[in-house]
Amino acid sequence: MNAPLKNDRVPWLQGPSADSVERAVKCSTVSSEGKNPWRLILLGAPGVGKGTQAELLTERLGACHLSTGDVFRAASKRRDCDQSPAMKAALEYMRRGELVPDSTVWEMVRERRECILCTGGFILDGFPRTLSQAESLKELMETEHLSLSAVVNYELSVDEIVQRLSGRRTCDKCKSVFHVTEKPSKGKGVCDRCGGRLFQREDDRPEAIAVRLEAYERSTAPLIHFYKNLGLLLPIVAKGSPDEIFTRTMDKLADDKSKAS
Ligand code: AP5
């Protein structure tokens, strides 16, 4: 597997419609040498810790953290006139905790297909989330002769998930994730990494959390069987500290790789 890389995720977060002079579609560092990059999907209920693990995995494996939720949140910061009607509608779904329609999500991912095809690999977080999205991704990857390394499924009780979501705080600049008790920042309300302001996500309100958990059970949980049938699923218990879960994940990935070779 290739050496760790640094990646700023600008092409993923902004997409090809970004209007900066540089059009901001180039990564600051892109691997052109990765012979066998990691291509992972992280599955699991909202708040199970996918984003937290994606950051740790990115640091270790070098593959880029691609979160569809982060793309929507980045779009919500744009001026109203820079948001397409489809994106405005998508943000309303997100505020309520509902899933954004498949057609909008797939259009957004398709626009960023270079990130999926990147020679540095990827760690997908929050996508795919429905069978239709999983089928679309599978078709794209087959067309491009790419294969997934594994699909990691994080498992945790609903009570612990709600506790994680209600205490989450996110940096408005670099998107780093904290928790008021489990992973507090050193300065109150300030990101340790970049000094940005920490905020509570709108969809972490109790009403939205209930809707998200219901949407997960209905639409996303079936993906567990989908990827199990493809022989790609790696279930991981998501209890314990982020570092413990990360070690568990790396052990499972290494074990899976040695079985495959
Ligand atoms: P998205 O941003 O993908 O949110 P999500 O899947 O609901 O997941 P979260 O980001 O809430 O949680 P996480 O598992 O990443 O946990 P985290 O690491 O932050 O999607 C948001 C919305 O966008 C969706 O509801 C939908 O509307 C829309 N959307 C996005 N993609 C879509 C798609 N493909 N199709 C349709 N709609 C889509 O951790 C949570 C908290 O716990 C943090 O505070 C963290 O510090 C803490 N924590 C993490 N690990 C631990 C630990 N081990 N111990 C204690 N605390 C921990």
Side-chain angles (χ1 to χ4, degrees), residues 180-194:
V180 286
T181 54
E182 303 297 331
K183 192 188 168 195
S185 60
K186 292 191 188 94
K188 195 161 183 272
V190 178
C191 176
D192 290 345
R193 190 179 282 181
C194 74

Side-chain angles (χ1 to χ4, degrees), residues 210-228:
V211 175
R212 287 162 68 198
L213 289 173
E214 206 268 320
Y216 168 77
E217 281 303 329
R218 191 182 57 243
S219 304
T220 312
L223 295 186
I224 295 171
H225 300 286
F226 179 85
Y227 287 115
K228 194 172 180 190

